[in-house]
Amino acid sequence: MNQPGLSGLHPTCCRNHDPDGAGTVCGQRLDQQEGRTRLFPSSALVDLQTRLDSLLSPDVDPAQAFETFANFQVVTAIVLATWPSSAPMMNSEQAAAVEEHLASQSSVIAKSGHRPLRGDAGVTWAHLPRSPVGTAAVLSVADQLLHSPSMRKELTELTGKIPDRTAKRWATTWKILKEEASPDCRTQVEEALPWSRQRRLSSSAPWTRNRIIPSLMTTALDKQHTYVPENIPQELPDRWFRIFLNDPVIPITARTRRLRRTIAIQLIQASTDMNSEEAIEYLGIPPGMNALDSWNTEPVLHALCDDTVRLRAGITRLAEHLASLPLDGRVNYRHRRQHCASWHLSAEAFDALHAQLTVAPTRLLHPRPERLHKALSAIIWRRVTKGEYCLAPCFWPPFGPARRIDATTAEISLARRIERAGPQSPYQAILPMLERHANSLLTTCDPSG
């Protein structure tokens, strides 16, 4: 509260300066409804203030509160940077307050000429209006966006003419987005930013490097209702892929991964009325791995992909094989994914595996324990769910850094190396133990099996 020691006022009186009178204070009783002549917050704004205040309670998880405030910092900066795109979301008095705030910032920037600004001089887009009305308006719009079921779409509309990422007035906005905001907010914002898309999609992450083959997703498929989508894993098994290709002995290389991913998505679509986006989500692919945005100039890896007739025939052949499997031989991979959605190798279990590895008789260049822990966790999870290494829960919050899949490349390479361990490899010592862990986890996933 401003001027708490000001005499002559009731303790509940507002002590903010009155904008209509120089040197005077508002004086409005904050505990009374009667006699109000000014704009007062709506019930929605009061609810927002209450929710923000509650985040400061010791009963709230500090990590959750930290992420929420970071989300607001990022989105409020976008609201101000893209003004007046958000003006229709405010009433006239709120919009006027925001307009005045931005005009004041522009004036400071204009007066500074080419001289560097001292500090941020209050001109960054993260700097909220001094006016309570303006601040309430910006926070209210940010809150609406953050809780909108179509947040990405609304942000995309808002950011049509967003300033370049390198503009100095962003200050630390993008650092906050990357390191402090919640994973969902980070995903929605990044996917909405026009100049972020190319940067995001050209990364060398294990998933984004070669995600799917978008051109194949337009192929019209006959619906197959004799198998269920629950039977489809994230990663198409080698045997299934050979059935699709109609070649039982063809070598399966890493370069076929894009096509295998695409087929798994199409198998979901061939048994349901899901569109591509829904099928991707059904397979348990997290937000931010939107395969349909894949930007990749690599040529299609198999001539089959250029032949719609052969492609459809391959899908049909594989669908018929799945439908022919006995009911007791089918696996509910969706249930396994859901059951293991937060599974990771415990510290105690890892210590036992690590101890077995360190007494291996042959020489080994030991990886860092934290890297080995994630690799072993990903191996066990993959053996149970038949998913892809990079989608293992150990690489995602809360066990891994948010949206840092690019940082898992070393762990994934290590996992592949362990699984391919030959007779002379020290990793052979732990392979039976990994299998036992996987079998134990399977009994909790498939209790009837």
Side-chain angles (χ1 to χ4, degrees):
M1 179 183 290
N2 290 333
Q3 308 180 80
L6 191 64
S7 61
L9 290 175
H10 188 276
T12 63
C13 284
C14 174
R15 286 162 165 75
N16 284 330
H17 286 290
D18 190 336
D20 299 329
T24 62
V25 295
C26 174
Q28 171 69 46
R29 286 284 293 264
L30 302 178
D31 61 337
Q32 297 178 359
Q33 296 286 338
E34 299 78 10
R36 290 187 169 183
T37 59
R38 301 182 183 281
L39 177 68
F40 284 87
S42 64
S43 58
L45 282 176
V46 172
D47 174 66
L48 172 58
Q49 181 67 66
T50 302
R51 284 187 281 117
L52 291 176
D53 290 343
S54 69
L55 292 172
L56 302 176
S57 168
D59 298 329
V60 175
D61 178 10
Q64 176 191 346
F66 189 81
E67 282 190 344
T68 302
F69 283 122
N71 293 348
F72 270 99
Q73 282 183 278
V74 172
V75 178
T76 54
I78 292 175
V79 169
L80 290 171
T82 58
W83 184 263
S85 297
S86 61
M89 303 175 71
M90 308 175 186
N91 62 41
S92 58
E93 185 165 358
Q94 292 174 329
V98 175
E99 186 75 47
E100 181 181 1
H101 165 69
L102 292 170
S104 175
Q105 287 187 324
S106 298
S107 176
V108 172
I109 294 172
K111 290 177 181 177
S112 69
H114 296 293
R115 298 190 306 275
L117 295 170
R118 186 172 298 174
D120 69 24
V123 298
T124 64
W125 286 305
H127 192 92
L128 291 172
R130 292 184 180 181
S131 159
V133 173
T135 293
V138 175
L139 287 173
S140 178
V141 170
D143 185 55
Q144 292 177 55
L145 292 168
L146 286 166
H147 289 90
S148 171
S150 55
M151 178 181 173
R152 183 178 64 178
K153 178 182 177 182
E154 294 187 33
L155 278 172
T156 300
E157 295 173 355
L158 196 68
T159 58
K161 294 184 179 179
I162 194 169
D164 188 81
R165 181 187 180 91
T166 59
K168 292 183 179 179
R169 292 179 68 184
W170 286 119
T172 59
T173 297
W174 307 123
K175 183 175 185 292
I176 292 171
L177 178 69
K178 178 181 179 181
E179 299 178 2
E180 301 174 8
S182 68
D184 183 60
C185 176
R186 187 177 307 117
T187 297
Q188 302 289 349
V189 170
E190 287 184 347
E191 292 186 350
L193 296 175
W195 36 257
S196 175
R197 183 175 182 275
Q198 177 67 30
R199 172 179 168 271
R200 176 169 47 85
L201 296 177
S202 62
S203 78
S204 59
W207 177 267
T208 56
R209 182 170 55 244
N210 294 303
R211 294 191 289 184
I212 66 166
I213 305 175
S215 61
L216 302 187
M217 300 309 298
T218 59
T219 304
L221 301 172
D222 297 329
K223 290 289 184 276
Q224 303 288 334
H225 296 289
T226 50
Y227 70 92
V228 291
E230 289 91 333
N231 302 146
I232 310 302
Q234 286 175 346
E235 186 170 65
L236 203 69
D238 290 357
R239 182 166 179 268
W240 291 15
F241 189 52
R242 290 189 175 100
I243 292 173
F244 167 81
L245 296 175
N246 203 24
D247 187 336
V249 296
I250 187 173
I252 306 297
T253 67
R255 290 179 61 80
T256 63
R257 192 169 294 126
R258 292 178 68 205
L259 182 54
R260 295 165 71 185
R261 288 169 174 165
T262 307
I263 296 168
I265 295 169
Q266 289 182 311
L267 283 172
I268 298 292
Q269 290 185 268
S271 63
T272 67
D273 291 325
M274 295 183 196
N275 60 32
S276 300
E277 294 276 8
E278 292 168 336
I280 290 169
E281 182 180 358
Y282 186 90
L283 281 171
I285 297 172
M289 286 189 166
N290 183 352
L292 297 182
D293 285 341
S294 183
W295 178 86
N296 200 308
T297 57
E298 180 183 345
V300 174
L301 302 177
H302 199 284
L304 171 69
C305 301
D306 296 323
D307 189 332
T308 302
V309 175
R310 294 178 64 198
L311 174 66
R312 188 183 295 111
I315 290 286
T316 300
R317 183 166 47 249
L318 182 51
E320 289 174 349
H321 167 74
L322 298 180
S324 69
L325 294 174
L327 292 178
D328 59 359
R330 302 183 187 184
V331 175
N332 190 330
Y333 290 108
R334 178 173 172 79
H335 176 73
R336 290 188 181 183
R337 289 193 298 268
Q338 292 175 332
H339 183 85
C340 301
S342 60
W343 183 88
H344 66 293
L345 186 65
S346 68
E348 295 77 12
F350 170 71
D351 288 342
L353 286 164
H354 195 216
Q356 184 68 27
L357 183 62
T358 54
V359 297
T362 54
R363 183 172 176 269
L364 174 70
L365 293 176
H366 295 287
R368 294 200 302 269
E370 61 271 18
R371 179 170 293 173
L372 179 63
H373 192 166
K374 288 184 180 296
L376 298 181
S377 190
I379 289 172
I380 296 169
W381 176 86
R382 180 176 181 269
R383 290 188 177 190
V384 171
T385 66
K386 304 305 179 187
E388 297 202 38
Y389 289 114
C390 62
L391 299 181
C394 63
F395 295 136
W396 293 84
F399 311 114
R403 293 270 302 160
R404 290 287 300 281
I405 294 303
D406 58 321
T408 70
T409 303
E411 287 88 342
I412 292 172
S413 296
L414 177 59
R416 296 187 191 282
R417 191 160 68 249
I418 293 172
E419 292 238 71
R420 293 195 301 263
Q424 303 303 316
S425 170
Y427 291 124
Q428 274 287 337
I430 61 172
L431 289 180
M433 298 176 68
L434 293 177
E435 190 64 22
R436 286 196 292 273
H437 276 291
N439 290 336
S440 176
L441 185 56
L442 270 175
T443 60
T444 66
C445 293
D446 306 326
S448 60

